[in-house]
Amino acid sequence: SPGGIVNLVSKRPRDDAQNEIVASTGNFAYRQIAADIGGKLDRDGRWLYRLVALNRDAETQVDFVENNVVAISPSISYQPSDDTSLTLLLNYQDATGDAGAQFLPISGTLNAAPNGQFFDSELFVGEPEFSQYDGTTKSASILADHRFNDTWSVQFAARRTEGERDYSQAWIAFGFSADRFVRNADGSLYNGGAVPRSFYQSDASSEQTAADLRFRANFDTGAVNHELMVGGQYQDVTTDENPAYAYAVGYDFATGGPDQVFGDSFWINPFSPEYGNVPSQALIDSIKSDAPEVNVKDLGLYINDQMTLGNWHWNIGVRFDDVSNESGQSSQDDDATSIATGLLYAFDNGLSPYISYAESFETVVGLDAVTQQAFKPQEGEQIEVGIKYSFANSPNYLTIAYFDIEQSNLLTSTIVGQTQAGGIDTVSGVEFEAKFDFGDIQLETNASKLDTQTAAGFQFVSVPETNASAWLGYGSRFDNGFRAGVGVRYAGESFGGADAIETPAYTLLDAMVAYKLENWTLRLNARNLSDKAYQSTCLSRGDCFQGERRTIVGTASYAF
């Protein structure tokens, strides 16, 4: 993916594992308990185990919206020798709750409603007995490593994942008036502000089988050191989603008021909400579509060599992908060869300038919500130049980079899914990061300035031009005693897709205090400490999403 990806690393068994039990509680009825336990199963440490588990029971700032999770991940490793290891990792996660995003009208959030009021941040416009976002994921992974000799080694990874999701949500309907309010003949708000709602329901499932086999070699050719990697990757993904969308139930577009079938029984007054009336499941089922399964197969072959000659470091890689995409009503085949290369010179004083060029080819799984055709792969190019500086004999460093990205076939969100607009989207910008550690004082700061432009000529949806953050900490997390920290996050103004709706910039304050004594650690974390009310983003289609209000979580952990 252009710009980089996030590397998620599974927690594997370790022979030097430190066990930990953690309990947390906070506002919005937040309660969580977690454990990370592992170690040796035999005296020689050939067999290792680990168990990671979590149970969360929590509410959110939005009424009736919960955030409950049960997760368990056991794993076992066998190491018959120092050169070979084999790990089996299982994972189960069950999340129950609802979508906290409430699709609230701009009139009442960003701007005052017609009656001069603003919506509360806890406003829920769904239905407690209807709205849900529940998902279950199960996976099994095999991870194997073997070193043949001082030069060659091999790594193999395979995973089978199965997931299910049930999603039901109601929101204030779009499109029937400029501000999404209904008016009487004299211009006053209908029934004190009652508005029609849309009801959406979808059940979905997915299955994924993925495997990756790579050979690594570390060798010299004359004065040049090589770290070579050659491999192949295969994945087979099948998804199935059956949606139903009941738009503005009870609204008569001819009269501009309630219709004669349902009336306003399913409407809601966001200034004084009452719940309990939803369309019958029979009505929802009557409009539910049985969408075809989507199957995507992706075969990738790659080779990468990182070469070092004195202070010079050169990396070059080539990858070939072949993708087939079947949706029951359409099929497509795509292939691409993409390259990535970068050159860095590490001066002895810690300064390292670099330049890189990369191409990307990324499979997208699913159906276009507008065309009902399979998504096309996303392709991109990136050029980046930058400087890294590492201070001598310390963990302190700073980096600054300029990059320019072009990418095609990006996804755009709609009310009931995603679509691909096509064309070329561009992102260019400057990023800065610095981290300083002066014993008991730590400072980390980040900033970025982006110039984004969609194929239609607008700024990217909900992406601020400017972002910045800083964190100042005191104390050591490894030693006994007191620790504290304070941070600030700034997000500049952003736009909603047509450069017409501007979400104002906001600045948030975070803080932390902790005390460590031997095996025990007590910690208190606060986000948005001043409880600032703000909009995280507002979209040109007419809705805003409330920002996260103050959250405070206290945690006690015991390590053994």
Side-chain angles (χ1 to χ4, degrees), residues 173-256:
F174 292 79
F176 59 86
S177 71
D179 58 10
R180 292 160 70 183
F181 283 95
V182 179
R183 288 171 171 77
N184 299 311
D186 62 0
S188 61
L189 294 181
Y190 172 80
N191 200 14
V195 289
R197 288 184 294 179
S198 295
F199 292 83
Y200 180 79
Q201 190 175 86
S202 169
D203 54 81
S205 63
S206 65
E207 298 178 355
Q208 180 195 41
T209 301
D212 187 280
L213 176 67
R214 67 178 73 99
F215 293 88
R216 293 180 179 272
N218 193 320
F219 59 94
D220 296 328
T221 55
V224 180
N225 175 257
H226 298 262
E227 294 182 41
L228 181 69
M229 179 174 65
V230 181
Q233 168 262 322
Y234 175 79
Q235 68 170 333
D236 184 327
V237 183
T238 299
T239 60
D240 186 24
E241 183 175 11
N242 303 310
Y245 182 35
Y247 170 64
V249 182
Y251 183 75
D252 188 331
F253 284 85
T255 65

Side-chain angles (χ1 to χ4, degrees), residues 326-443:
E326 302 279 348
S327 67
Q329 58 192 38
S330 66
S331 64
Q332 64 185 46
D333 295 295
D334 297 279
D335 62 75
T337 300
S338 49
I339 65 171
T341 185
L343 182 65
L344 179 146
Y345 187 85
F347 287 96
D348 294 335
N349 63 0
L351 189 68
S352 299
Y354 69 91
I355 183 171
S356 68
Y357 169 79
E359 299 171 341
S360 67
F361 179 83
E362 188 173 1
T363 304
V364 184
V365 178
L367 284 180
D368 190 304
V370 175
T371 66
Q372 291 301 301
Q373 300 296 308
F375 287 125
K376 299 178 181 179
Q378 296 175 359
E379 298 186 63
E381 294 183 359
Q382 172 177 300
I383 297 175
E384 179 175 332
V385 293
I387 296 175
K388 306 178 182 183
Y389 183 72
S390 177
F391 293 82
N393 303 317
S394 78
N396 302 332
Y397 70 87
L398 59 85
T399 66
I400 187 168
Y402 168 81
F403 61 90
D404 185 272
I405 297 173
E406 291 187 352
Q407 193 167 7
S408 62
N409 298 323
L410 288 181
L411 298 184
T412 300
S413 295
T414 68
I415 294 299
V416 292
Q418 293 180 306
T419 184
Q420 284 183 319
I424 302 295
D425 299 78
T426 62
V427 184
S428 61
V430 177
E431 291 184 337
F432 170 80
E433 179 179 0
K435 189 172 183 179
F436 302 98
D437 190 331
F438 306 105
D440 286 338
I441 303 294
Q442 306 92 39
L443 174 63

Side-chain angles (χ1 to χ4, degrees), residues 28 60-65 100 102 104 118-126 270 273 275 531 546-547 549:
F28 303 124
T60 67
Q61 71 183 39
V62 181
D63 290 340
F64 305 108
V65 175
Q102 291 299 296
L104 299 177
F118 287 88
F119 301 136
D120 295 330
S121 60
E122 63 266 23
L123 174 61
F124 178 67
V125 296
Y275 308 100
D531 198 23
Q546 305 272 32
R549 301 298 293 269

